[in-house]
Amino acid sequence: NAGVMQNPRHLVRRRGQEARLRCSPMKGHSHVYWYRQLPEEGLKFMVYLQKENIIDESGMPKERFSAEFPKEGPSILRIQQVVRGDSAAYFCASSPSSPLVSEQFFGPGTRLTVL
Amino acid sequence: SQKIEQNSEALNIQEGKTATLTCNYTNYSPAYLQWYRQDPGRGPVFLLLIRENEKEKRKERLKVTFDTTLKQSLFHITASQPADSATYLCALDMITGGSYIPTFGRGTSLIVHP
């Protein structure tokens, strides 16, 4: 059973471009979470999704950021018109059920660099 | 506001000793607490979960305690090895926007010297 997969592993964008980060959860997992991690800082929750539904996006910036988890295919975190402050590691995690009863399985992350 | 605190200073210990890491929290009563390990350039890896009604949990060389009165969890690694060197994160469930979301501390770096 493959683990959580994220691609690309490294992404370089110039200011104003769009960044698309993909996450394929573990087989059988229907819950996906996105986190952002800055150097020397903790993981900051961004958004929690189930198939075709955004459950909680309280950690997402109000502008430029969006996420989806379609019925088929990976979850996508999209950042429009990137700025230097968006440079960070973005981690995706999945779980088979509510986080109340199970741990999260993390992917290797996508390191976004904005020039 | 709710806060999770982990010692920002790295913990340096000698191989074979017991490493003890601390996670303190304020203004919250979590139903459970988790510990993760993160190596440089990698995603966190789940280690242990302890519920509020459990005082202690063990897994091989790992032990976690959870004191809801002190609002503190201790994470112990016995007979530590250089391979245990990593950053260790604690996470508490917090109700965010109506859902339970694991909220992470900044982590403590552990360095085990041979």
Side-chain angles (χ1 to χ4, degrees), chain B residues 59-113:
Chain B
K59 179 182 173 183
E60 296 173 353
R61 294 185 296 112
L62 309 180
K63 183 177 89 170
V64 171
T65 62
F66 194 8
D67 189 325
T68 55
T69 302
L70 290 178
K71 294 188 181 293
Q72 181 182 80
S73 174
L74 298 178
F75 177 79
H76 306 274
I77 305 176
T78 58
S80 59
Q81 304 164 1
D84 295 326
S85 299
T87 297
Y88 291 86
L89 311 172
C90 75
L92 282 68
D93 68 304
M94 293 201 175
I95 297 177
T96 307
S99 304
Y100 282 101
I101 302 294
T103 301
F104 288 82
R106 291 190 177 189
T108 298
S109 175
L110 172 66
I111 302 168
V112 181
H113 299 274

Side-chain angles (χ1 to χ4, degrees), chain A:
Chain A
N1 187 8
V4 176
M5 298 173 68
Q6 289 187 250
N7 66 80
R9 294 292 308 276
H10 300 274
L11 183 61
V12 179
R13 286 287 178 266
R14 296 190 180 281
R15 279 180 297 168
Q17 291 184 318
E18 178 180 286
R20 278 192 180 223
L21 288 63
R22 293 175 188 77
C23 169
S24 296
M26 286 182 70
K27 190 175 180 181
H29 286 194
S30 58
H31 299 244
V32 167
Y33 314 81
W34 286 92
Y35 293 84
R36 177 164 62 179
Q37 187 174 42
L38 292 165
E40 309 305 319
E41 292 195 16
L43 287 161
K44 301 293 184 190
F45 166 75
M46 297 181 75
V47 62
Y48 163 36
L49 310 105
Q50 294 180 25
K51 284 283 187 183
E52 300 184 277
N53 282 307
I54 296 175
I55 306 302
D56 187 331
E57 56 181 348
S58 56
M60 285 271 272
K62 295 287 183 266
E63 297 175 351
R64 303 188 297 110
F65 285 72
S66 62
E68 63 176 8
F69 189 15
K71 188 176 180 182
E72 301 291 338
S75 174
I76 307 280
L77 178 68
R78 187 208 284 186
I79 311 172
Q80 295 178 298
Q81 299 173 342
V82 296
V83 301
R84 289 223 173 98
D86 297 332
S87 296
Y90 292 83
F91 290 97
C92 161
S94 72
S95 69
S97 59
S98 161
L100 195 58
V101 295
S102 62
E103 70 270 23
Q104 296 188 327
F105 296 82
F106 281 83
T110 293
R111 274 142 194 87
L112 172 65
T113 301
V114 180
L115 301 177

Side-chain angles (χ1 to χ4, degrees), chain B residues 5-107:
Chain B
E5 293 176 346
Q6 292 187 259
N7 196 341
S8 58
E9 282 186 29
L11 177 63
N12 286 271
I13 64 167
Q14 283 300 124
E15 182 176 8
K17 300 292 186 184
T18 295
T20 299
L21 305 173
T22 305
C23 177
N24 294 301
Y25 57 94
T26 57
N27 299 327
Y28 193 68
S29 297
Y32 66 94
L33 185 149
Q34 303 182 50
W35 283 89
Y36 288 77
R37 168 185 173 141
Q38 186 173 24
D39 291 279
R42 293 177 172 252
V45 174
F46 171 79
L47 296 175
L48 280 168
L49 179 151
I50 186 166
R51 300 181 192 280
E52 62 177 338
N53 59 351
E54 298 174 317
K55 296 294 183 191
E56 180 181 298
K57 198 161 224 184
R58 292 175 186 260
K59 179 182 173 183
E60 296 173 353
R61 294 185 296 112
L62 309 180
K63 183 177 89 170
V64 171
T65 62
F66 194 8
D67 189 325
T68 55
T69 302
L70 290 178
K71 294 188 181 293
Q72 181 182 80
S73 174
L74 298 178
F75 177 79
H76 306 274
I77 305 176
T78 58
S80 59
Q81 304 164 1
D84 295 326
S85 299
T87 297
Y88 291 86
L89 311 172
C90 75
L92 282 68
D93 68 304
M94 293 201 175
I95 297 177
T96 307
S99 304
Y100 282 101
I101 302 294
T103 301
F104 288 82
R106 291 190 177 189

